[in-house]
Amino acid sequence: MKPQLLKISKNPTQSFSVRHDLKPSMNNKFHYHPEVELIHFVKGRGAQFVGDSITDFQSGDLVLVGSNLPHYWRFDESFTEGESGNYADVRVAHFSESFLGEYFLNLPENKPLKDLLEKAKRGIKVEGKNKKKVTDILGHMLKAEGTDRIIYLIQALLEISKCDQLELLSSIGFSQVKEEITNDRIKDIYDYTFANFRNKIHLEEIADIARISPNSFCRYFKSFTQKTYSQFLTEIKVGQACKLLIDNRLNIKQVCYESGFNNFASFHKCFKGITGKSPLTYQKEFMAS
């Protein structure tokens, strides 16, 4: 079930691709590509796989998938078998983060766009009042030519960056996406945790990395992340377990220990608490795709 690299084709006279798909079998496999993907399901329903996230998708959904994040949409049989009245209708744009040049995203005015594309490396489901504006812009983009296409794409990304209802799909443990952090203390905590999560990390140990007392560390970390360090560490371990289950080279007990859990009961409880599924059910759903 290893995700496959997909080559995105585009018109040689255009800097990015915009398509209108009416076939649910398009790119019908768990795949990834360097291009960012913005996809609007005008009509469709099925199972959505983004990173280690497994959820349902339905008509109206709008999703932004970051560079090299594995993903796949498995349409319900009623759409794939062409039952009366059920047909897929999907609008999708693929673009490189650097399609406007190497320095564009580093301009100070474009920080909202740069932050958005960093978040998109975990996958984003877009909701809220800006969603309709984005889907309308994507429709205009299909018909536009020349510079207008580029302007529409920038407008779509700006509208998403303003949205107050963005749901991150994949776990931080799966993608290990770390936004550009200017706070050296938090960066040190993140780096140390990702490097050592398979081992027991004691409170005194991580507090020492942060250069503060254990009591101060707990308050500090929660104020910055809105979660406890224990929750953060568990999310990283479960994300790693998801990677290994998708890869399907180890049995579930081996996955448990390779992800940093000390016993299978704890692994099963934490995994189900975060994903909503048992490890075996989770793996079977991916294998079925």
Side-chain angles (χ1 to χ4, degrees), residues 66-99:
S67 174
N68 293 317
L69 177 63
H71 56 282
Y72 162 53
W73 285 274
R74 187 176 68 213
F75 283 79
D76 286 351
E77 287 185 2
S78 60
F79 288 89
T80 58
E81 295 178 0
E83 291 184 10
S84 177
N86 277 346
Y87 59 92
D89 187 345
V90 178
R91 295 169 180 177
V92 58
H94 292 101
F95 59 95
S96 166
E97 289 186 357
S98 59
F99 83 102

Side-chain angles (χ1 to χ4, degrees), residues 14-127:
Q14 297 174 339
S15 59
F16 65 94
S17 162
V18 187
R19 290 199 320 262
H20 188 189
D21 291 342
L22 298 173
K23 295 181 180 179
S25 59
M26 180 69 76
N27 300 331
N28 196 19
K29 56 191 174 186
F30 195 46
H31 67 277
Y32 67 98
H33 37 71
E35 295 81 3
V36 180
E37 178 172 320
L38 176 62
I39 184 166
H40 176 216
F41 297 93
V42 180
K43 189 173 178 64
R45 184 178 64 248
Q48 172 177 281
F49 302 78
V50 178
D52 58 359
S53 167
I54 306 176
T55 57
D56 294 329
F57 74 91
Q58 59 187 353
S59 299
D61 281 1
L62 178 67
V63 179
L64 183 66
V65 179
S67 174
N68 293 317
L69 177 63
H71 56 282
Y72 162 53
W73 285 274
R74 187 176 68 213
F75 283 79
D76 286 351
E77 287 185 2
S78 60
F79 288 89
T80 58
E81 295 178 0
E83 291 184 10
S84 177
N86 277 346
Y87 59 92
D89 187 345
V90 178
R91 295 169 180 177
V92 58
H94 292 101
F95 59 95
S96 166
E97 289 186 357
S98 59
F99 83 102
L100 281 171
E102 182 180 353
Y103 302 107
F104 179 76
L105 288 177
N106 289 322
L107 296 174
E109 295 88 348
N110 291 330
K111 188 176 186 304
L113 295 183
K114 185 174 182 178
D115 291 346
L116 175 67
L117 294 177
E118 191 67 23
K119 289 178 182 175
K121 291 176 182 177
R122 288 177 59 184
I124 298 173
K125 182 178 180 182
V126 182
E127 296 288 359

